[in-house]
Amino acid sequence: MMATAYIYDALRSPRGRGKSDGALHSVTPIDLLTQTFTAVKERNHLLEDCLDDVITGCVTGVGEQGGNMGRFAALKAGLGQSVPGVHINRFCASGLVAVNYAACRIIADMADLIIAAGVESMSRVPMGYDGAAAFSDPAVAGPLGFVPQGISADLIATKYGFTREQCDALAVESQKRAKAAWDAGYFEKSIVPIKDPLNLTLLDHDEHMRPDVTLDSLSALKPSFVEMGALGFDSVALQKYPDLEFINHIHHPGNASGIVDGAAALLIGNRESGDKLGLTPRARITSFADHGSEPTIMLTGPAEAAKKALARANMTKNDIDVWEVNEAFSSVVLRFLQEMDMDASQVNVNGGAIAMGHPLGATGAIILGTALDEMERCGASTALATLCVAGGMATATIIERV
């Protein structure tokens, strides 16, 4: 009989602006992880060497984000010398895939207790800094029909009929919901304030939020990807989608996810390990799925990943109470809603990455923790979290409250 994978805890750092003047710019990625791991250890009274592994997602794994950060952050946090670590990368879903891989180990009875985590310090290690061949080598990118994600987001809007006004409206709502959630204290249970070496708090809230934005203020912003499209990327996309006459460029910094620094960690284990430590499970991991989609349009996979996860759990969308769909770009969420025949009121009820930011390797773990907190807050039973992924992929995870 297979074991059950339980979530015992979920914590995250606040998200700092991913710029040199951001509140977390002085904090190294390993230190972000270390402070998050330390909070998990202290809140759950973890004994040294009680973990079987630390699985950490990070997208741009070079420089100070390279070299299997989770192993060394675990050592710095005092989790024990016997605790190994591994670094995984499924781009934006890395943090969620870390959770799913941990669940696989638990379900297969090949581990008892694991920390699944994600981290990205985008102010210190910029997106694309690793120079991946799929995005930089014409011999690879050309045959794949590679275009930057912003072009893909605009392609989605063009192909599926989403207007600039619809995308801006979703962005404004994300900001309003995030502000309301913070004001109501919905995130306080899960936030790890990040401190400097003198133990002074650097950041204890999501720094990227702009709750004062309006449709009028967003309408004044210039689309971000017009010039990039004119360099030839529009032509590449239109070769894949010849039914379209042009790409309607409608995305800009106000209706796309924010570039931020952040980390998150979930404690995943079987019932026996939790009982030994006196822990109460908060949710069980019911189902998860990954999906590959067409790589030029790239960001349309979340609905298919969600459908796969639902089918594996013998569930339908009506069985899910809480939905988290990463707001990489407004059109990604709008396409998900369109394909799933859902309403915007059903997803991201506490705001999303447009308001609070998208620290690439950490976001999947963050939104699953957000879903867990929301289930507990409103007395719901089930939640589904999903993200689009670069290269034409997506991941989805379903959890049920215990």
Side-chain angles (χ1 to χ4, degrees):
M1 183 176 178
M2 293 191 300
T4 299
Y6 293 100
I7 300 175
Y8 285 101
D9 208 358
L11 290 168
R12 71 169 178 93
S13 76
R15 286 169 273 196
R17 283 196 309 271
K19 298 181 180 179
S20 59
D21 63 350
L24 299 182
H25 176 65
S26 64
V27 184
T28 67
I30 283 184
D31 195 26
L32 270 179
L33 268 183
T34 299
Q35 293 194 45
T36 307
F37 288 174
T38 299
V40 174
K41 174 189 173 185
E42 292 177 350
R43 190 156 93 168
N44 296 281
H45 308 290
L46 297 184
L47 303 175
E48 189 171 333
D49 298 317
C50 73
L51 295 169
D52 291 299
D53 208 349
V54 171
I55 304 174
T56 302
C58 180
V59 175
T60 310
V62 295
E64 59 187 14
Q65 285 191 165
N68 190 358
M69 284 184 293
R71 162 63 173 170
F72 301 105
L75 289 172
K76 289 189 66 179
L79 293 174
Q81 182 174 299
S82 72
V83 180
V86 64
H87 172 178
I88 65 169
N89 179 6
R90 200 191 296 276
F91 298 125
C92 299
S94 297
L96 189 58
V97 171
V99 172
N100 296 345
Y101 284 4
C104 287
R105 295 270 301 278
I106 302 299
I107 292 168
D109 203 21
M110 293 296 165
D112 298 316
L113 194 65
I114 295 174
I115 284 181
V119 65
E120 205 82 29
S121 180
M122 300 180 76
S123 71
R124 297 177 68 96
V125 185
M127 182 168 50
Y129 192 67
D130 53 351
F135 309 134
S136 61
D137 182 350
V140 179
L144 294 177
F146 166 76
V147 297
Q149 287 189 17
I151 302 293
S152 298
D154 287 339
L155 175 59
I156 291 171
T158 306
K159 181 173 177 59
Y160 295 106
F162 306 129
T163 66
R164 166 76 179 256
E165 290 73 20
Q166 287 176 299
C167 288
D168 285 355
L170 187 144
V172 170
E173 186 64 22
S174 179
Q175 296 283 359
K176 289 180 178 178
R177 292 178 183 183
K179 176 67 162 54
W182 267 105
D183 288 349
Y186 292 170
F187 300 122
E188 289 178 359
K189 180 179 180 179
S190 300
I191 291 292
V192 178
I194 299 300
K195 301 184 177 184
D196 69 8
L198 298 177
N199 205 38
L200 299 175
T201 298
L202 293 170
L203 190 65
D204 60 4
H205 63 280
D206 289 324
E207 188 181 26
H208 181 75
M209 292 191 300
R210 295 291 182 269
D212 57 339
V213 301
T214 64
L215 285 174
D216 285 342
S217 65
L218 291 186
S219 69
L221 296 178
K222 179 182 177 182
S224 298
F225 305 104
V226 175
E227 290 81 5
M228 193 177 290
L231 291 175
F233 289 115
D234 279 2
S235 296
V236 173
L238 292 172
Q239 287 176 17
K240 278 285 187 77
Y241 295 89
D243 54 313
L244 303 178
E245 295 183 11
F246 60 90
I247 305 297
N248 184 22
H249 292 288
I250 61 175
H251 286 93
H252 52 76
N255 61 22
S257 56
I259 294 172
V260 294
D261 305 333
L266 287 86
L267 183 62
I268 314 293
N270 58 24
R271 175 71 78 167
E272 292 74 18
S273 64
D275 288 346
K276 287 179 183 178
L277 293 167
L279 302 177
T280 301
R282 296 173 62 187
R284 66 175 61 87
I285 298 171
T286 302
S287 175
F288 41 85
D290 303 293
H291 178 73
S293 56
E294 197 280 302
T296 300
I297 204 165
M298 194 183 308
L299 310 174
T300 56
E304 289 302 321
K307 291 174 184 177
K308 277 187 178 181
L310 288 167
R312 286 176 177 166
N314 293 316
M315 300 170 78
T316 71
K317 67 178 183 181
N318 296 325
D319 295 315
I320 302 298
D321 301 317
V322 176
W323 294 83
E324 285 287 326
V325 181
N326 186 40
E327 295 174 352
F329 298 87
S330 284
S331 65
V332 172
V333 180
L334 291 173
R335 176 55 185 157
F336 178 88
L337 295 172
Q338 185 183 66
E339 192 168 355
M340 296 293 290
D341 191 22
M342 293 172 59
D343 184 82
S345 64
Q346 297 174 269
V347 304
N348 304 340
V349 296
N350 295 314
I354 290 173
M356 293 176 283
H358 175 22
L360 304 178
T363 302
I366 288 174
I367 66 172
L368 193 65
T370 298
L372 175 59
D373 285 344
E374 178 62 16
M375 280 201 305
E376 292 175 339
R377 186 191 70 80
C378 67
S381 298
T382 59
L384 186 150
T386 184
L387 305 90
C388 62
V389 178
M393 295 182 284
T395 296
T397 301
I398 297 172
I399 59 176
E400 292 186 76
R401 193 160 63 98
V402 176

